[in-house]
Amino acid sequence: MVQKRDLPALLTGIMATLVGIGLARFAYTPLLPALIPEQWFSASQAAYLGAANLLGYFIGALSGHFLSERYSARAVIAASFAAIALSFLLCAAPASFTWFFLWRLVSGIAGAILMVVGPSLALSATPIERRTGVGALVFSGIGMGALLAAWVVPLLLETSLMATWITLGLLSLVAGLIGDRGLSRLTKPAALPTGESHGQGIHAGAALVVLLVIGAYALDAVGFVPHTVFWVDYLARENSLGNQSAALQWSLFGVGAVCGPLIAGSVAKRVGWHYGLALAFLVKAFAVALPLLSLDLLSRSVSSFLVGAMIPGIVALTSGRLAELVGPTAHKKLWGRATATFAAAQAASGYGMSALYDAWGTYTPLFAIGSLMLASGFLLILLSHALNTHRSTITPQTWRQ
């Protein structure tokens, strides 16, 4: 149950994830089919614009920890919210591909900074006994943003594309103000028990375990690209299901994304971070492959909901697993590295899958590739558990290099 003292941390984390991915990334997916018939861009250009955000996310993930250490975290977060709002507002009218590419890139950079800094600040300000629940809940913002976009974008598109872009920009500003209010009320980082600071007390082989977990997280980045970039267009245009049917599926995706962190937190409390993470990879691999078997209403709805749920679910479970391995003090730096690795894989796969779509003229094989990558991530998680059986410690210097 959420307690009153958790609210500043939750507002900080939820608003950061809501705008950082929920709007900056996922609001573009239901916009993509509308850009093409309105002749703002060709199908190929629209796909590459989606990938521009992924490239920006990589850049932002690399710089998020550094910027928050060098400058006020509050200022860095505020600037990121403002940049995302501008990225929507300045794309409200038809312009060149280069102009849109630039601002989709900016939204990705700012979104990654929010994703690195916001949840880490929320986690560090939360009492140790509350971190499992709060750490999962902060990622519910991803689903809230996706659900908000799924509801708002189709309605606004009936008016105009310009109104849609402007509204998304204003929503980003409002969320930024709410997040800043929470951030201004955050307490100092919670004290750590003796031996936990700086990631001490980690079992032998933890360095390799961490690498395997991050490797699996990178494979997750590849596996979710088909749904997060191409799913709506795949249903609406390639399979001729129409914008309304595709919008319904994106709404189910958003509902799943809201539920995902709640499910992840509940599972983590019962079976632990490791087993929860392994289960999430297995479920997601199945859900991404489901469209290959059937695209009837039930199959595509299950796929939409489960992929939506497992996206923030895996983010929350990976974050929690890493915090468990290295402690919350070292978490922000390591989480920045994990996010950068995730972003690099995501950007590469985004461009690679856009190129494959350009060459093949169909999205269908991309879902097979995504499912295979997720299954491989599941195997890495299992391997990480096998290597985590011997006990010893590693020094704090390991994580400072």
Side-chain angles (χ1 to χ4, degrees), residues 61-391:
L62 288 175
S63 57
H65 173 75
F66 169 78
L67 290 172
S68 68
E69 293 293 316
R70 189 178 181 90
Y71 304 104
S72 160
R74 188 176 181 182
V76 169
I77 287 177
S80 298
F81 276 118
I84 291 171
L86 277 175
S87 75
F88 285 122
L89 296 172
L90 295 177
C91 289
S96 68
F97 175 82
T98 302
W99 177 262
F100 270 72
F101 186 93
L102 170 66
W103 286 106
R104 292 302 299 155
L105 184 75
V106 167
S107 72
I109 294 171
I113 292 172
L114 288 178
M115 285 296 296
V116 170
V117 181
S120 291
L121 286 177
L123 182 68
S124 66
T126 301
I128 295 164
E129 68 277 7
R130 303 285 301 155
R131 284 180 183 148
T132 300
V134 172
L137 279 176
V138 296
F139 293 101
S140 64
I142 297 173
M144 292 178 186
L147 187 59
L148 185 62
W151 173 63
V152 168
V153 170
L155 289 176
L156 290 171
L157 285 175
E158 295 180 6
T159 304
S160 69
L161 268 172
M162 178 179 289
T164 307
W165 287 104
I166 291 173
T167 301
L168 291 171
L170 295 176
L171 287 173
S172 299
L173 284 176
V174 171
L177 293 173
I178 296 172
D180 184 70
R181 184 172 179 81
L183 184 56
S184 68
R185 298 185 177 191
L186 277 184
T187 59
K188 292 182 179 180
L192 300 174
T194 304
E196 187 182 345
S197 61
H198 302 294
Q200 292 179 339
I202 302 172
H203 299 166
L208 184 54
V209 170
V210 165
L211 289 176
L212 289 172
V213 171
I214 292 176
Y217 193 44
L219 291 174
D220 175 56
V222 180
F224 86 161
V225 166
H227 270 73
T228 57
V229 180
F230 308 122
W231 184 231
V232 173
D233 198 38
Y234 175 65
L235 296 174
R237 287 194 316 112
E238 184 167 326
N239 288 281
S240 304
L241 295 174
N243 287 337
Q244 269 196 327
S245 177
L248 171 63
Q249 293 305 312
W250 194 244
S251 297
L252 288 173
F253 176 96
V255 171
V258 171
C259 297
L262 304 176
I263 296 169
S266 177
V267 170
K269 285 179 181 178
R270 285 169 172 76
V271 302
W273 293 110
H274 165 72
Y275 288 109
L277 185 58
L279 180 61
F281 266 91
L282 194 60
V283 170
K284 195 171 178 181
F286 163 77
V288 171
L290 198 53
L292 301 173
L293 305 176
S294 172
L295 268 178
D296 62 28
L297 180 60
L298 178 61
S299 294
R300 63 180 185 262
S301 297
V302 170
S303 180
S304 294
F305 179 84
L306 288 180
V307 174
M310 290 304 102
I311 285 175
I314 286 181
V315 174
L317 289 164
T318 302
S319 176
R321 177 62 171 149
L322 292 176
E324 180 180 57
L325 289 169
V326 305
T329 300
H331 176 263
K332 186 173 71 169
K333 187 172 185 178
L334 186 61
W335 182 235
R337 292 179 180 178
T339 304
T341 304
F342 179 96
Q346 183 179 238
S349 61
Y351 279 96
M353 289 188 181
S354 295
L356 289 175
Y357 170 71
D358 215 9
W360 294 337
T362 175
Y363 292 121
T364 302
L366 304 184
F367 292 90
I369 294 171
S371 182
L372 180 61
M373 293 299 103
L374 287 161
S376 300
F378 169 71
L379 294 177
L380 287 186
I381 296 298
L382 293 184
L383 180 59
S384 75
H385 180 64
L387 292 174
N388 200 30
T389 54
H390 300 293
R391 297 174 178 271

